[in-house]
Amino acid sequence: MSLRYALLGLLAEAPASGYDLARKFERNLRRYAWHAQHSQIYPELNRLAADGLAAVVEEGPRGRRTFAITDAGRDELRRWVLDPDDDPVVRNEHTLKLFLLSTLDVEDARKMLRQQAEGSLQEYERLRAAITEADRGGRPPVELFAAELGARYFLTLHEWARWALQRLDSE
Amino acid sequence: MSLRYALLGLLAEAPASGYDLARKFERNLRRYAWHAQHSQIYPELNRLAADGLAAVVEEGPRGRRTFAITDAGRDELRRWVLDPDDDPVVRNEHTLKLFLLSTLDVEDARKMLRQQAEGSLQEYERLRAAITEADRGGRPPVELFAAELGARYFLTLHEWARWALQRLDSE
DNA sequence: AATAGCATGTAATCAGTTACATGATTTA
DNA sequence: TAAATCATGTAACTGATTACATGCTATT
């Protein structure tokens, strides 16, 4: 059910079409929190409209339909966001690979950890620059929140990879 | 396909039954990297055996079957771990909720962020203690790697929540 | 006039969750 | 001897990905 709330959340910031939302997932959410393809988004938008949680507010060229969240949608979104999630599940293939590095030859693991350390530092710097820029532009909070947590996570990943390297060397 | 490699990775550390593996997901992996229920694990173990990537090495009471990774399994696991993942997707409902806090009233958001800041600090301390203990016991690396990254992530989350609070106040 | 990007949809398949189902062994 | 835990499995359903399908509009 997370998809439905991700869509409501994005619509709560600004009205958008399915196409817009697909790009928002791609740019802001997919690397940190959630993802959906257009084939999942369009039907779900129609369901949200049928349930009265969102509504078409504008029709544009090429059949474009802009959706906005309704009052009922905001209530439902709030309820979900404030509802504490017990036993959370995270799916992160990249993290899984990092953990499983420990099952490889020390040489393989060392090589990958070095690459990881370098790559995550670069990502960190890239995001920091993007945040400075976005902040000037007064970008919507969801994007800024995501970018800031993303940047901090990449720095943490960088530091963890360096820790793991040291750990391998000391054995 | 991640499930298959998660299983191979756990088997690469030590032979285990489906039941053992379900507990490992629950304890070590589900909060950071991947999850699977027993209903997914048992059939996949049989598929791994059919594909020659794992094999039953022991039969115990109550129909218990202990699986071990094969040489072919290790090769396949290594191939996957070293294979760089382009366009990664993360599914993390908790992070999604944190991002969407920004769509709520400032008072709602503030309250949740304070709870988040407190909760993640507690989790951090809990994990740090567990790591110290596990390290003495010479626990398998996958567990230690996971716990160490988990601890660092919780601390980062704590710091981010405090940043987000400040950010709300300054507007 | 061609190309890239905008824009929406459905169908088939695969992955993951929940519910159903059974029974053995250990511990209190 | 009752309860908790160990142990495995299948079936039905829901969620997510990939492939198929179509057409418009703006830019070069």
Side-chain angles (χ1 to χ4, degrees):
Chain A
M1 287 275 71
S2 292
L3 168 63
R4 138 162 299 214
Y5 298 101
L7 291 173
L8 282 177
L10 293 173
L11 291 179
E13 285 209 305
S17 68
Y19 190 85
D20 297 335
L21 294 164
R23 279 186 312 179
K24 282 178 197 239
F25 272 106
E26 198 64 47
R27 291 183 190 166
N28 308 130
L29 258 32
R30 99 173 253 163
R31 301 196 62 162
Y32 313 116
W34 209 260
H35 187 56
Q37 320 271 4
H38 78 269
S39 60
Q40 225 184 336
I41 293 170
Y42 289 117
E44 188 63 35
L45 278 175
N46 289 326
R47 274 191 290 268
L48 285 171
D51 294 346
L53 305 177
V56 176
V57 289
E58 195 193 324
E59 309 220 355
R62 281 164 292 200
R64 176 189 172 95
R65 291 184 304 150
T66 304
F67 289 80
I69 193 168
T70 63
D71 288 346
R74 274 192 195 273
D75 289 350
E76 178 64 6
L77 174 63
R78 176 174 186 274
R79 192 194 56 70
W80 181 80
V81 172
L82 296 183
D83 185 38
D85 32 28
D86 34 52
D87 56 296
V89 173
V90 173
R91 284 178 198 280
N92 188 333
E93 190 173 303
H94 187 248
T95 305
L96 179 61
K97 284 192 183 186
L98 288 180
F99 292 169
L100 299 186
L101 275 180
S102 61
T103 66
L104 302 183
D105 286 2
V106 183
E107 263 325 301
D108 282 337
R110 225 190 291 270
K111 192 178 144 204
M112 290 303 285
L113 284 170
R114 271 196 287 261
Q115 280 179 27
Q116 177 62 49
E118 200 193 323
S120 49
L121 188 60
Q122 274 173 21
E123 271 302 298
Y124 168 73
E125 283 160 359
R126 197 185 60 75
L127 269 168
R128 268 281 157 256
I131 288 167
T132 311
E133 181 124 356
D135 222 352
R136 253 205 308 277
R139 287 290 193 77
V142 172
E143 269 183 58
L144 268 187
F145 271 38
E148 181 67 32
L149 188 59
R152 287 165 185 255
Y153 269 172
F154 276 113
L155 189 58
T156 300
L157 209 49
H158 169 76
E159 288 162 354
W160 174 88
R162 290 169 61 85
W163 166 87
L165 272 168
Q166 275 206 309
R167 176 100 204 169
L168 283 187
D169 287 336
S170 72
E171 266 159 25
Chain B
M1 287 275 70
S2 293
L3 168 63
R4 139 162 299 214
Y5 297 101
L7 291 173
L8 283 177
L10 293 173
L11 291 179
E13 285 207 305
S17 68
Y19 189 86
D20 297 335
L21 293 164
R23 279 187 311 179
K24 283 178 196 239
F25 272 107
E26 198 63 47
R27 292 182 189 167
N28 308 131
L29 257 33
R30 101 173 251 163
R31 301 196 63 162
Y32 313 116
W34 210 258
H35 187 57
Q37 321 270 5
H38 78 269
S39 59
Q40 226 184 334
I41 293 170
Y42 289 118
E44 188 62 35
L45 278 174
N46 288 328
R47 274 190 290 269
L48 285 171
D51 295 345
L53 305 177
V56 176
V57 289
E58 194 192 324
E59 311 219 354
R62 281 165 291 201
R64 177 191 170 92
R65 290 183 304 149
T66 304
F67 289 80
I69 193 169
T70 63
D71 288 346
R74 275 192 194 274
D75 289 349
E76 178 63 4
L77 174 62
R78 176 175 186 272
R79 192 194 56 69
W80 181 79
V81 173
L82 296 184
D83 185 39
D85 32 28
D86 33 52
D87 54 297
V89 173
V90 172
R91 283 177 200 281
N92 188 332
E93 191 172 303
H94 187 247
T95 304
L96 180 61
K97 285 191 182 186
L98 289 180
F99 292 168
L100 299 186
L101 275 181
S102 61
T103 67
L104 302 183
D105 287 1
V106 182
E107 263 325 300
D108 283 336
R110 224 190 293 269
K111 191 178 145 204
M112 289 303 285
L113 283 170
R114 273 197 287 262
Q115 280 179 26
Q116 177 62 50
E118 200 193 324
S120 49
L121 188 61
Q122 274 174 22
E123 271 303 296
Y124 168 73
E125 282 160 358
R126 198 186 59 75
L127 268 167
R128 268 279 155 256
I131 288 167
T132 312
E133 181 123 356
D135 221 352
R136 253 205 309 275
R139 289 290 194 76
V142 172
E143 268 183 59
L144 268 188
F145 271 36
E148 180 67 33
L149 188 60
R152 287 165 185 255
Y153 269 172
F154 276 114
L155 190 57
T156 300
L157 209 49
H158 169 74
E159 288 162 356
W160 174 88
R162 289 169 61 84
W163 167 88
L165 272 169
Q166 275 207 310
R167 176 100 204 171
L168 284 185
D169 288 336
S170 72
E171 269 161 22

